[in-house]
Amino acid sequence: MSDSEKLPRASLAYENHGFLNGPEGRILRMNAEYLEPLARFRRERIQDTVVFFGSARFVNLETAQEGLAAAEREAMGPSPVKLLDTSYSAHLAPPEEQPDGGGNGGEDRVKRARAAVEMARYYEDARRLAYMLTEWALTIRSKRSRFVVTSGGGPGIMEAANRGASEAGGKTIGLNIKLPFEQFPNRWITPALNFEFHYFFMRKYWFAYLAKALMVFPGGFGTLDEAFEILTLTQMKKLAKKMPVIIYGREYWHRIINFQALVDAGAISAKDLNLYQWADTPEEAFGYLKAHLQDQIGTQSPRSLRPGGHFEDGGDGGGPEISGTND
C-alpha cells in the first residue's frame, strides 16, 4: 500500500484541542484546574496561605494624588484618569464602566478622584499588613512556606497584598481569572505561583482550601461574594479548620452592610457576628492574625495536597509526594 493510500493517524485524545475545548472536554478542564495548581503548590512547598480580598479599582496613594491633581487641572476636559487603565488590565473598561459614565462631568471626575485618594489608604494598609505578615512568617522554621500571602492576582488591593509580601522577601500567590476587560497578573506575584483560571468555582476552591485566615478589605461585588462564601462555609461548619475572617475598615463597611440588621430580622443568629473580627490598622489586623496563626505553626503539612483531598482532611507526617509517571 502506498503512502497516499494510508489513512493519516488520528490525534491522541489529549492532543485534540477541538475536543478539549468543547463541551465534552469540560470535566477534563475542571480537573486540570485542580491538578495543575496542586502540582505547583507541592513543587513550591506551599503549606498554607492567608488570603487578601479587596477592590481591583483602588490605587496606591501616589497614583491617586496624581489623578486628583490632573482631574482638578482638566476638570472641563477629557477625563484624565480611566478605570482599569493599568498594566494589569487587558484593555480599558468600556465607557459605560467608567466612573463618569463616559461623559465629561468635571465635577464628578474631581469627586471620584478625591474618593480615590481616600480609598488609597486601604491599598497602603494592605501593602503594609502583607509586609508585616510575610516578614514574620519568614522567621518560622519550617520545610514548607507558611502563611503565604495570596490574592486574586490583579490590580488594587490584590496588587497591594502581593507587593507587600514581595517587598518583605517572601513568596506570594496570585490566583488570576479571565474577565471581560480585566486583568493581567500584577508584577509582584512570584512567577512560579502565578495562576490563571477559567472557572470561578475552581479559583474559589484554591482560595479556601489552603487558607488559614482571610483578610477582607473594602471592595465591591467580587469582594462581597468571596467574603460571604467563606462566612457561609464557616457558619455551616463545612470547614474543619478554624479560619478567622478579619474585615478591614469599619468606616467603609458600616456604610455598605448593616450586619446587626440581619440579626434583628432573624436572618442570622447573634452568635454569627462572632464569625468575623474588625480591624482598622495594619497593626491591629496583624495582632489578630499572629495570635491565631501561632497556634497553627505546629500543624503538619495537609493531606489535602494529594488528588482526592477534601476540606475535612487532617494532617499527616509530611505530605506524600505524587509519583512521577509517563501514563
Side-chain angles (χ1 to χ4, degrees):
M1 181 181 295
S2 67
D3 289 341
S4 62
E5 296 175 306
K6 293 179 181 178
L7 187 67
R9 288 183 183 273
S11 62
L12 295 168
Y14 58 81
E15 294 179 343
N16 184 335
H17 293 285
F19 163 69
L20 291 176
N21 293 318
E24 297 85 358
R26 183 173 292 116
I27 190 63
L28 299 179
R29 298 195 298 273
M30 292 175 184
N31 279 333
E33 292 201 347
Y34 170 67
L35 290 170
E36 195 271 347
L38 172 73
R40 274 203 268 169
F41 284 133
R42 298 195 64 182
R43 186 166 60 246
E44 292 298 312
R45 304 182 73 80
I46 304 300
Q47 179 159 334
D48 39 32
T49 64
V50 173
V51 176
F52 284 59
F53 290 139
S55 176
R57 303 185 180 198
F58 300 160
V59 296
N60 63 64
L61 182 58
E62 181 181 1
T63 299
Q65 290 172 334
E66 290 174 355
L68 175 59
E72 290 175 336
R73 286 195 308 268
E74 304 177 31
M76 302 306 295
S79 178
V81 179
K82 290 294 186 179
L83 180 62
L84 300 174
D85 184 10
T86 74
S87 57
Y88 316 128
S89 306
H91 49 78
L92 279 177
E96 65 272 15
E97 294 287 348
Q98 296 296 337
D100 60 6
N104 293 318
E107 289 185 8
D108 186 60
R109 288 198 301 276
V110 171
K111 179 181 177 181
R112 295 286 183 176
R114 287 173 178 160
V117 172
E118 179 184 352
M119 301 312 289
R121 69 185 177 95
Y122 293 116
Y123 177 106
E124 301 299 340
D125 286 357
R127 177 182 173 185
R128 171 66 179 157
L129 176 58
Y131 184 99
M132 295 168 67
L133 174 62
T134 303
E135 185 178 48
W136 170 73
L138 289 173
T139 68
I140 299 170
R141 297 187 62 181
S142 174
K143 294 180 179 179
R144 294 173 172 80
S145 296
R146 303 301 308 268
F147 316 130
V148 179
V149 169
T150 299
S151 83
I157 297 298
M158 296 176 282
E159 173 194 312
N162 293 131
R163 181 176 181 177
S166 177
E167 289 172 336
K171 293 181 178 181
T172 184
I173 299 167
L175 304 180
N176 229 298
I177 191 159
K178 290 185 177 179
L179 298 174
F181 49 83
E182 305 169 70
Q183 62 196 37
F184 285 133
N186 68 70
R187 67 186 181 93
W188 304 98
I189 301 167
T190 301
L193 295 169
N194 176 30
F195 297 89
E196 184 85 7
F197 289 87
H198 173 75
Y199 295 106
F200 264 104
F201 72 91
M202 288 308 307
R203 182 186 189 225
K204 289 179 177 181
Y205 173 87
W206 284 115
F207 272 136
Y209 195 39
L210 294 177
K212 284 296 197 299
L214 174 66
M215 286 298 312
V216 183
F217 277 79
F221 289 160
T223 303
L224 290 166
D225 172 54
E226 302 287 4
F228 278 105
E229 186 151 35
I230 296 296
L231 286 172
T232 301
L233 289 171
T234 304
Q235 181 192 46
M236 297 293 103
K237 303 188 187 313
K238 289 295 183 180
L239 299 175
K241 58 191 173 183
K242 181 181 179 182
M243 185 165 68
V245 176
I246 301 172
I247 303 179
Y248 196 94
R250 285 181 180 86
E251 180 184 354
Y252 175 87
W253 288 112
H254 283 168
R255 288 187 286 132
I256 306 302
I257 302 171
N258 187 342
F259 291 96
Q260 184 61 45
L262 297 173
V263 176
D264 296 342
I268 63 173
S269 300
K271 66 180 178 63
D272 290 331
L273 297 180
N274 297 324
L275 295 176
Y276 60 87
Q277 294 174 296
W278 292 104
D280 288 306
T281 67
E283 291 74 19
E284 184 181 15
F286 179 62
Y288 289 141
L289 288 173
K290 186 176 178 181
H292 168 74
L293 297 176
Q294 280 180 320
D295 293 336
Q296 308 294 318
I297 290 175
T299 60
Q300 299 295 326
S301 182
R303 286 177 59 199
S304 56
L305 290 190
R306 65 170 73 174
H310 300 285
F311 279 110
E312 293 80 9
D313 284 351
D316 65 10
E321 295 298 326
I322 301 174
S323 299
T325 68
N326 292 320
D327 56 2

